[in-house]
């Protein structure tokens, strides 16, 4: 705990030390998860010419108006993100579990999605996307107060209700991702208590800090669709959970093989399809940025799939279906923060790097850490998110085919990479501290670990009284 607290102080110190020198003008609005690229020109203009912005304030504030094309695309994107959670993530994780725990994994993902969707509407949206605090927003829109069919959120061409729904799916899948780290040994009640605490004190503030006008957004951090907010945030929480709960009975002595790679492949495929809503939908409009994010999501994922199975073949002599599916997810994770900021060739290189680094993350790094991260949440989402977030600062450069981020006229690779590194360090420390406290509170209230007898029997029967398969 002392080391964790020391790391927190170091991370905050590093961030504060460089933020003032490298931050862009505060007049620039930070990009939200729904429209970082779409808002980039509006954010860059005041930074490039503040005098002109002061001379013509009316021109800097276009009138909100519903665009049917943008609205249709964002509704579709919202559905796609739901698809990647239910059933995509559920089947991906469920196939990796042993058959006696299949249903428990499905149940955890399904119920977490339901729980977080409610909490998002009650207070999550307000704390993330209203107010101007550095770490939390405000209570202006608690219980969706003042949100109507006529209001607009961070996007000025889609109704606010659509923005609320889209962002709510991001919150739900982020919490559900953590399930893969402590699967097969956690109490269902413990999952729910942890989910509420972690959502409230890790996801919501990180969404505000990066996308809602908070600290990292003001500093100019680039995160198109959730490299820090979603993947590093969840990956670190998963690693902490693996340590807190301890290893599964028989870990290291028994073969914990996936019970259905067929379902895992189906789940990975649904994740890939749904991720187009995740990434291309984060353009916030049916525009060129959405098209760029769409292409990059195809290319980076394909490249990571190939690099993973190549590395696997060189190391083990064979390429596996599990490797291909894992590589695809690694590519999807890595391109998430970069999707609307890098060019197609940059996304290919990013995917190639991510596939190999995440392969090491679930192998060599996992052995070094000594944690029983059941389905490699940290090795894929944590490591892939770190790689993607940092390399976004590299491949966003115009000289490498990128867009120049939020301030193309003043983009500097070195400065942007440093901003990205600070955002990564901040996220690791924030999520690590909050996760540890949330797990401990859950353990002290309802308990985290099932009994040895229940674990051996399987959580399907011991926690839910039913099985995924009837013999």
């Amino acid at each position: 705990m002392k080391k964790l607290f020391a790391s927190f102080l170091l991370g905050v110190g590093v961030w504060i030390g460089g933020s003032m020198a490298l931050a862009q003008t505060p007049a620039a609005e930070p990009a939200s998860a729904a429209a970082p690229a779409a808002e980039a020109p509006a954010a860059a203009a005041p930074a490039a010419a503040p005098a002109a912005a002061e001379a013509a304030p009316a021109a800097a504030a276009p009138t909100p108006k519903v665009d049917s094309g943008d609205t249709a695309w964002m509704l579709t994107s919202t559905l796609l993100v739901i698809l990647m959670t239910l059933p995509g993530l559920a089947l991906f994780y469920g196939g990796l579990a042993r058959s006696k725990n299949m249903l428990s994994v499905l149940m955890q993902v399904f119920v977490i999605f339901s729980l977080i969707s409610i909490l998002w509407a009650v207070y999550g949206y307000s704390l993330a996307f209203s107010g101007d605090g550095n770490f939390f927003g405000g209570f202006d829109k608690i219980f969706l107060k003042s949100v109507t069919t006529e209001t607009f959120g961070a996007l000025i061409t889609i109704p606010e209700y659509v923005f609320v729904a889209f962002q709510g799916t991001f919150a739900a899948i982020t919490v559900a991702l953590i399930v893969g780290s402590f699967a097969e040994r956690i109490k269902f009640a413990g999952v729910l208590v942890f989910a509420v605490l972690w959502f409230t004190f890790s996801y919501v503030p990180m969404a505000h800090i990066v996308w809602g006008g908070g600290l990292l957004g003001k500093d100019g951090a680039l995160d198109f669709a959730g490299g820090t907010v979603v993947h590093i945030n969840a990956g670190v929480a998963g690693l902490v959970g693996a340590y807190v709960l301890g290893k599964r009975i028989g870990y290291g002595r028994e073969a914990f093989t996936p019970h259905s790679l067929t379902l895992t492949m189906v789940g990975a495929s649904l994740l890939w399809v749904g991720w187009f809503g995740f990434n291309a939908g984060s353009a916030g409009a049916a525009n060129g940025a959405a098209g760029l994010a769409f292409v990059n999501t195809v290319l980076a994922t394909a490249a990571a799939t190939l690099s993973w199975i190549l590395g696997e073949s060189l190391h083990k002599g064979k390429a596996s279906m599990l490797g291909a599916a894992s590589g695809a997810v690694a590519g999807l994770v890595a391109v998430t923060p970069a999707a609307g900021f890098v060019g197609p060739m940059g996304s290919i290189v990013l995917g190639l790097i991510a596939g190999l680094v995440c392969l090491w993350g679930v192998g060599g790094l996992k052995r070094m850490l000594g944690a029983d991260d059941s389905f490699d949440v940290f090795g894929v989402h944590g490591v892939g998110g770190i790689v993607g977030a940092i390399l976004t600062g590299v491949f966003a450069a115009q000289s490498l085919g990128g867009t120049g981020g939020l301030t193309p006229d003043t983009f500097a690779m070195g400065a942007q990479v440093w901003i990205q590194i600070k955002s990564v360090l901040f996220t690791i420390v924030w999520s690590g501290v909050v996760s540890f406290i949330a797990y401990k509170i859950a353990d002290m209230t309802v308990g985290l670990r099932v009994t040895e007898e229940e674990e051996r029997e399987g959580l399907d029967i011991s926690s839910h009284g039913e099985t995924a398969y009837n013999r």
Side-chain angles (χ1 to χ4, degrees):
M1 186 66 185
K2 291 181 178 179
K3 292 182 178 179
L4 195 59
F5 184 70
S7 298
F8 175 80
L9 294 179
L10 176 61
V12 173
V14 168
W15 190 91
I16 294 174
S19 60
M20 296 305 295
L22 296 176
Q24 302 299 327
T25 174
E29 273 303 309
S32 76
E39 295 180 358
E54 292 176 7
T63 303
K65 182 180 179 181
V66 172
D67 182 284
S68 59
D70 291 349
T71 301
W73 171 236
M74 293 307 296
L75 286 169
T76 303
S77 296
T78 302
L79 288 173
L80 287 170
V81 180
I82 295 173
L83 177 72
M84 67 186 288
T85 313
L86 305 171
L89 181 67
L91 290 178
F92 181 77
Y93 279 168
L96 293 174
R98 289 171 289 179
S99 59
K100 64 183 180 180
N101 295 308
M102 166 66 165
L103 186 139
S104 71
V105 172
L106 300 181
M107 182 71 170
Q108 289 169 19
V109 173
F110 201 94
V111 174
I112 282 176
F113 185 89
S114 303
L115 173 64
I116 300 305
S117 294
I118 297 297
L119 297 182
W120 180 253
V122 172
Y123 63 85
Y125 174 71
S126 182
L127 289 175
F129 289 103
S130 72
D132 56 2
N134 280 333
F135 300 98
F136 282 93
F139 291 100
D140 297 345
K141 297 185 179 182
I142 192 168
F143 297 107
L144 298 185
K145 182 178 65 175
S146 302
V147 178
T148 72
T149 56
E150 305 297 324
T151 60
F152 294 83
L155 303 174
I156 61 172
T157 62
I158 68 170
E160 189 168 12
Y161 277 130
V162 179
F163 183 69
V164 171
F166 180 70
Q167 290 292 341
T169 61
F170 274 63
I173 193 172
T174 303
V175 182
L177 285 173
I178 307 171
V179 165
S181 63
F182 48 56
E184 302 193 313
R185 60 196 187 276
I186 191 169
K187 290 183 178 180
F188 184 61
V191 172
L192 299 184
V193 171
F194 168 78
V196 171
L197 293 170
W198 190 86
F199 163 77
T200 305
F201 297 104
S202 192
Y203 182 83
V204 169
M206 282 304 306
H208 178 76
I209 288 166
V210 177
W211 293 329
L215 203 63
L216 296 180
K218 292 174 183 177
D219 196 36
L222 299 179
D223 190 350
F224 193 80
T228 52
V229 179
V230 176
H231 297 294
I232 299 176
N233 204 5
V236 171
L239 180 62
V240 173
Y243 281 127
V244 173
L245 270 87
K247 299 175 181 179
R248 289 168 288 179
I249 296 172
Y251 181 77
R253 301 188 305 275
E254 303 174 13
F256 288 179
T257 55
H259 90 277
S260 178
L261 286 177
T262 301
L263 291 178
T264 294
M265 186 273 174
V266 171
S269 301
L270 289 170
L271 282 169
W272 194 342
V273 172
W275 223 288
F276 290 110
F278 204 77
N279 285 355
S282 290
N287 57 17
L292 175 62
F294 196 105
V295 169
N296 286 340
T297 302
V298 175
L299 297 178
T301 308
T305 300
L306 296 175
S307 68
W308 185 299
I309 63 172
L310 175 61
E312 195 175 45
S313 297
L314 294 174
H315 179 62
K316 298 181 179 178
K318 295 180 181 179
S320 69
M321 180 66 247
L322 177 58
S326 300
V329 176
L332 290 165
V333 169
V335 78
T336 291
F341 299 129
V342 306
M345 298 304 106
S347 71
I348 292 175
V349 177
L350 177 59
L352 292 172
I353 294 171
L356 292 175
V357 175
C358 289
L359 174 60
W360 169 74
V362 305
L365 178 60
K366 186 175 182 178
R367 287 191 293 272
M368 289 168 55
L369 295 174
D372 180 13
D373 181 354
S374 303
F375 306 148
D376 296 310
V377 176
F378 181 75
V380 175
H381 293 275
V383 173
I386 291 170
V387 169
I390 294 175
L391 292 184
T392 296
V394 175
F395 293 112
Q398 295 96 322
S399 60
L400 297 178
T403 66
L406 301 177
T407 54
D409 293 337
T410 58
F411 182 85
M413 185 189 296
Q416 190 62 55
V417 168
W418 174 234
I419 291 173
Q420 299 301 108
I421 291 173
K422 289 189 295 177
S423 71
V424 168
L425 291 174
F426 184 95
T427 306
I428 291 172
V429 174
W430 185 284
S431 180
V433 172
V434 171
S435 299
F436 181 80
I437 295 172
Y439 282 118
K440 287 299 183 181
I441 292 175
D443 193 25
M444 290 186 293
T445 52
V446 299
L448 281 178
R449 187 77 183 246
V450 298
T451 65
E452 180 176 344
E453 181 181 353
E454 290 172 331
E455 185 174 341
R456 291 191 183 280
E457 183 181 23
L459 302 190
D460 289 5
I461 291 293
S462 63
S463 295
H464 305 291
E466 52 189 353
T467 60
Y469 308 102
N470 291 319
R471 293 181 176 85

